[in-house]
Amino acid sequence: AQSVAQPEDQVNVAEGNPLTVKCTYSVSGNPYLFWYVQYPNRGLQFLLKYITGDNLVKGSYGFEAEFNKSQTSFHLKKPSALVSDSALYFCAVRPQTGANNLFFGTGTRLTVIP
Amino acid sequence: ETGVTQSPTHLIKTRGQQVTLRCSSQSGHNTVSWYQQALGQGPQFIFQYYREEENGRGNFPPRFSGLQFPNYSSELNVNALELDDSALYLCASSRGQITDTQYFGPGTRLTVL
């Protein structure tokens, strides 16, 4: 069965500091991995994805994520946090075979403190 | 913005009623997926339509049904509404390849009283 774990419900970081939002996954076979962000009363906005190739993926708004197969992790990172990065972040996984849908984690609320 | 639109934005219904939610996919996309996001939870997959055919279904009862039209827009129908159906309903469109990104609309907030 496919699953995604986001172990931290809440992450607080000071503006200008690096941020990390953690994600681990469980999937049969190789995964496709995604990060989305959700602002209040909005849908999900795509940030980045890992399909194959380089383990470090760069995405929108300065975000990046590193795929670690041995640790089954796909942590989201940004070198310098902005107050406007405060939002709800979701990690999602899709197995390479089978259903073409996303399995989401429960989300991590990021608060960037000015 | 993604180009995926949903209507209505908000909806209030009572238990036992029926509801239809609508989604227009992004230009060039032939696949629509529907998700339910309960308060404080991640989105849960309801079903997906690819070229007007159902192409996978999550763990939702048959009273959740859908359609996709020739222009690839889609409807989600829920019969016999229950209180637990209160949620944000999200649709996402994509080109249908398994590596493709799903782009989400703003959602419809359904409240069942």
Side-chain angles (χ1 to χ4, degrees):
Chain A
Q2 286 72 231
S3 66
V4 174
Q6 295 182 241
E8 300 160 317
D9 292 336
Q10 174 83 41
V11 170
N12 297 324
V13 63
E15 186 178 21
N17 282 3
L19 69 86
T20 298
V21 182
K22 296 179 181 178
C23 171
T24 59
Y25 65 89
S26 174
V27 67
S28 301
N30 294 317
Y32 298 132
L33 295 157
F34 301 78
W35 275 101
Y36 286 86
V37 60
Q38 187 174 37
Y39 295 97
N41 301 313
R42 302 284 294 275
L44 276 71
Q45 182 175 334
F46 170 70
L47 282 178
L48 51 81
K49 65 181 178 183
Y50 172 81
I51 302 299
T52 187
D54 193 348
N55 289 342
L56 183 63
V57 178
K58 294 188 183 297
S60 306
Y61 311 115
F63 285 94
E64 59 188 27
E66 186 166 11
F67 171 60
N68 187 318
K69 188 172 183 178
S70 63
Q71 298 186 4
T72 62
S73 67
F74 189 56
H75 301 331
L76 182 70
K77 300 182 180 184
K78 187 174 183 181
S80 178
L82 300 173
V83 172
S84 57
D85 293 330
S86 298
L88 188 56
Y89 290 80
F90 288 97
C91 180
V93 66
R94 179 192 294 155
Q96 287 192 8
T97 58
N100 188 7
N101 60 282
L102 296 169
F103 295 87
F104 284 88
T106 53
T108 298
R109 185 163 300 281
L110 173 68
T111 300
V112 180
I113 302 165
Chain B
E1 298 301 323
T2 64
V4 180
T5 61
Q6 292 186 244
S7 63
T9 305
H10 296 90
L11 204 52
I12 300 174
K13 293 286 188 178
T14 58
R15 270 187 309 174
Q17 286 189 311
Q18 180 266 342
V19 68
T20 297
L21 310 182
R22 295 176 175 84
C23 172
S24 292
S25 58
Q26 188 169 312
S27 177
H29 289 182
N30 57 19
T31 302
V32 172
S33 305
W34 286 91
Y35 293 83
Q36 180 195 66
Q37 186 180 13
L39 199 61
Q41 300 295 317
Q44 298 288 320
F45 175 66
I46 302 175
F47 45 59
Q48 182 182 87
Y49 280 84
Y50 171 66
R51 294 184 175 179
E52 302 180 60
E53 298 287 331
E54 188 176 290
N55 184 42
R57 187 179 184 92
N59 189 27
F60 281 81
R63 58 190 185 83
F64 285 78
S65 62
L67 283 173
Q68 187 178 34
F69 300 99
N71 66 354
Y72 302 128
S73 66
S74 178
E75 286 183 354
L76 164 65
N77 300 291
V78 187
N79 294 322
L81 283 168
E82 301 177 359
L83 297 179
D84 285 349
D85 296 333
S86 295
L88 181 67
Y89 288 84
L90 297 163
C91 80
S93 77
S94 62
R95 291 177 295 169
Q97 300 300 314
I98 198 166
T99 56
D100 286 347
T101 299
Q102 293 186 6
Y103 293 94
F104 284 81
T108 294
R109 172 75 61 187
L110 173 64
T111 302
V112 182
L113 303 176

